[in-house]
Amino acid sequence: MNLWDYLDTGLFLDHRPIRYQLTKGKHQGRLLNLFCYTGSISVAAAKAGMETYNVDMSRTYIDWAQENFLANELDPADHEFVQEDALQFLANPGMCGEFDMIFLDPPTFSNSKRMEGDFDVERDQVKLVQQAAKLLKSSGVLYFSNNKRKFRLDSALSKEFKIKDISADTIPQDFHDQKIHHCFEIRKL
């Protein structure tokens, strides 16, 4: 964590319950962490026994994620760290294989100069979830989280997937703002 140099500390506090659930049990398999930021979800998954595959557009964040693995006595060489636009990765994932768990926590909006066009989580959610689900094992789970305050899940997704809104279970009790994020557990039908 960096509490001094920037506004972003390197840790999203609102995801504490998800990290706790990951570290609480033993998990097998592989986690894909898209828009991985500093890798805190991946550290929790790796501590629980999972292999992780981490994707973020920022070299700074990929480096920070690897430092967080080291700080938690995890060897980054045992995990994958890919500097790439997560949207481009999903459009062309190559030979990364399938995953038992996917954590998808995109920004609300992005128009980075390194992207073609812009991204809006509500507008682009169907394509985003569909592409991510293609990388999910049949028994796997996709956690789709975002911080858009008035976010509405597109009803078209419920025709393709089994979806459970787990937002209330994933927001820490000490958060006064219970709209800090929306989180969905998505499984293949």
Side-chain angles (χ1 to χ4, degrees):
M1 288 181 49
N2 182 341
L3 302 175
W4 303 273
D5 296 330
Y6 306 103
L7 184 59
D8 58 345
T9 63
L11 187 64
F12 291 124
L13 297 177
D14 61 308
H15 284 305
R16 283 190 334 249
I18 292 175
R19 288 191 302 271
Y20 174 72
Q21 286 300 324
L22 282 170
T23 57
K24 189 168 98 170
K26 289 291 179 193
H27 300 279
Q28 298 295 316
R30 299 175 72 217
L31 166 81
L32 172 60
N33 188 357
L34 296 162
F35 306 93
C36 74
Y37 189 45
T38 62
S40 64
I41 292 289
S42 296
V43 166
K47 289 295 242 183
M50 297 187 84
E51 295 176 32
T52 69
Y53 198 103
N54 307 279
V55 180
D56 199 286
M57 185 186 309
S58 167
R59 169 50 55 198
T60 300
Y61 291 149
I62 288 293
D63 291 344
W64 200 346
Q66 291 178 20
E67 290 171 20
N68 284 337
F69 269 66
L70 289 170
N72 284 275
E73 299 177 350
L74 295 164
D75 187 350
D78 295 337
H79 303 270
E80 294 289 330
F81 296 87
V82 179
Q83 180 197 353
E84 184 177 356
D85 176 358
L87 301 173
Q88 292 297 319
F89 172 83
L90 285 172
N92 186 19
M95 304 295 290
C96 65
E98 292 184 317
F99 297 90
D100 301 280
M101 186 183 297
I102 298 174
F103 188 73
L104 175 61
D105 186 26
T108 298
F109 180 81
S110 179
N111 62 353
S112 170
K113 58 187 169 195
R114 290 184 276 175
M115 295 172 52
E116 293 179 19
D118 61 12
F119 171 80
D120 178 277
V121 70
E122 196 153 18
R123 179 193 68 209
D124 300 325
Q125 65 177 295
V126 172
K127 182 178 178 182
L128 186 66
V129 168
Q130 288 171 335
Q131 287 180 324
K134 288 179 184 177
L135 298 174
L136 196 60
K137 288 184 177 178
S138 60
S139 62
V141 61
L142 165 64
Y143 293 104
F144 173 44
S145 177
N146 72 79
N147 296 91
K148 185 170 183 178
R149 295 188 64 75
K150 294 183 180 182
F151 180 83
R152 297 289 176 249
L153 192 69
D154 193 310
S155 61
L157 289 171
S158 63
K159 296 174 185 170
E160 293 182 59
F161 304 101
K162 181 180 174 185
I163 301 174
K164 181 178 177 184
D165 185 341
I166 60 170
S167 301
D169 297 330
T170 63
I171 297 173
Q173 293 177 352
D174 58 339
F175 268 64
H176 298 289
D177 181 0
Q178 291 295 299
K179 295 181 182 179
I180 189 69
H181 72 235
H182 301 273
C183 191
F184 305 91
E185 182 182 277
I186 301 175
R187 297 179 185 272
K188 293 182 176 180
L189 290 175

